[in-house]
Amino acid sequence: MSRWLTEAVPRGRVAAFRTLIYLFVAADLVFFTPWVRTRVAVPGELYQPLLVGRLLPLPTPTQTLVTVVFWALLLLALLAATGRAPRLLGWTVFALYFEWMIVAMSYGKVDHDRFGLLVALAVLPTAGRARHGDPTRTEAGGWALRVTQIAVICTYFLAAWAKLRFGGLDWLTGSVLARAILRRGTELADLIASVPYLLIVAQFGIVAFELLSPVVFLLRERWRLATVGFFYSFHLITMATITISFAPHLAAMTAFLPLERVRPVVWARRLLTRRGRDTAPPAGGTPALAGQASAAGRPDGP
C-alpha cells in the first residue's frame, strides 16, 4: 500500500499540476466565485459557519476581511503558480483559500465539487520543488498526486452514497433529472427528456458510474486515462444539459493525467524558432528574385 501511495512520478508532472491548480485558484476568484465578496452584505446573524469554522474558531466575515483575503489570495496564487517558495506560498494559499471557502459555504449551501481542489492545495506544499520538464522522479510528488486522485474518486463514490442515503431508491426511479431540466435545462436536455424512460436510465447510470469509480485505480495506464476521459465527458454532458459546472473538480482530476507532456511554453518557443528560420535569408545574402540577373549575368529561375 505504501508503495502505491508514494509511486514516483516525474517532477515535471508535479510542476505542471502545481501551476495549473494555482492558476485555477486565481481564475476561481475572478470568474467562478466572485459572489463570495457579496456575503458581507448579508446580516452577520445569518452566518452559520461549518464545523471547522466553529472549531478554530473563525471570525464573522466583514468587508475588510473578505477584501484582504481576496487580493492576498489572488496575488499569492499567481506567485505560487511560478513554483517559487513552494512550501511557504503553498501553505499560505491553502489557508487563504480554505477561509474563502468557509465564507462561501457557511450560508446554507455546500458544494461538493471543491473537495478534490482543497485536498490538492493541502498536499502540494509537501511535494517540494519541481521544475517543468524535469524527468527526475519524486515519491513526495507522487504522494501528493495520489492523495488528490483519492479525493477526486471519493467525491464520486460519496456522492452516490449520499444519494442512496438521503434519497433511497426513489432517487433512482424518481424525477430528479426531470426537475433539474425544468429549473436549468438546455435545448439539448429537452430533446433527451422527450425520450420515454431515458432520464430514469440516466439516473441508474449516474449512480452506477459513481459507485464503480474506484475501479479506475485497478486499471492499467492506457485504460485508466480512457476512464478519466469518460469522467470528463460525463461532466461535459452535464454542463451541456443542465448547466452545472464542476470546474474545481475537473481541475483536481488532472492529477491523473501525464501533464509533463503538455508544455505550451516550449511549443511556443519551437514555433517562433521555426518561423524565424523560415523567414531568415540564406547565409550568402538576399536571394535573387526569379527572372532577375544573377552575378554571372544569367537570369535566375526557369
Side-chain angles (χ1 to χ4, degrees), residues 51-200:
L51 176 61
V52 65
R54 299 193 300 271
L55 293 177
L56 290 178
L58 296 174
T60 300
T62 63
Q63 180 72 47
T64 301
L65 173 65
V66 174
T67 300
V68 169
V69 171
F70 175 84
W71 288 108
L73 183 54
L74 181 61
L75 175 62
L76 294 178
L78 292 174
L79 289 176
T82 66
R84 300 177 184 275
R87 290 183 176 84
L88 176 61
L89 289 176
W91 288 122
T92 306
V93 168
F94 168 70
L96 290 172
Y97 191 77
F98 193 65
E99 168 64 9
W100 185 258
M101 284 294 98
I102 290 176
V103 174
M105 307 301 168
S106 294
Y107 291 87
K109 180 177 181 292
V110 179
D111 296 330
H112 67 286
D113 63 340
R114 296 179 179 273
F115 177 59
L117 178 64
L118 280 168
V119 171
L121 291 174
V123 298
L124 270 175
T126 69
R129 294 187 177 275
R131 298 186 62 180
H132 290 271
D134 187 353
T136 307
R137 292 186 169 268
T138 167
E139 291 187 353
W143 180 83
L145 292 181
R146 183 70 78 197
V147 171
T148 303
Q149 293 171 2
I150 293 173
V152 167
I153 298 304
C154 283
T155 301
Y156 288 130
F157 188 83
L158 295 177
W161 179 75
K163 290 180 178 69
L164 296 177
R165 177 189 177 190
F166 296 105
L169 295 179
D170 289 339
W171 198 99
L172 299 171
T173 60
S175 56
V176 177
L177 290 181
R179 289 196 300 269
I181 291 173
L182 288 175
R183 286 189 294 112
R184 53 194 304 166
T186 64
E187 293 183 0
L188 176 60
D190 293 337
L191 292 175
I192 295 174
S194 64
V195 180
Y197 301 108
L198 183 56
L199 294 183
I200 300 297

Side-chain angles (χ1 to χ4, degrees), residues 17 20-21 24 97 112-118 120 148-157 159 209-210 213 228 231-232 234-235 245-256:
F17 182 69
L20 187 150
I21 290 298
F24 178 83
Y97 191 77
H112 67 286
D113 63 340
R114 296 179 179 273
F115 177 59
L117 178 64
L118 280 168
T148 303
Q149 293 171 2
I150 293 173
V152 167
I153 298 304
C154 283
T155 301
Y156 288 130
F157 188 83
F209 140 66
E210 291 175 336
S213 59
V228 172
F231 292 168
Y232 276 104
F234 167 77
H235 291 289
S245 169
F246 281 77
H249 178 80
L250 300 183
M253 194 157 59
T254 58
F256 282 99

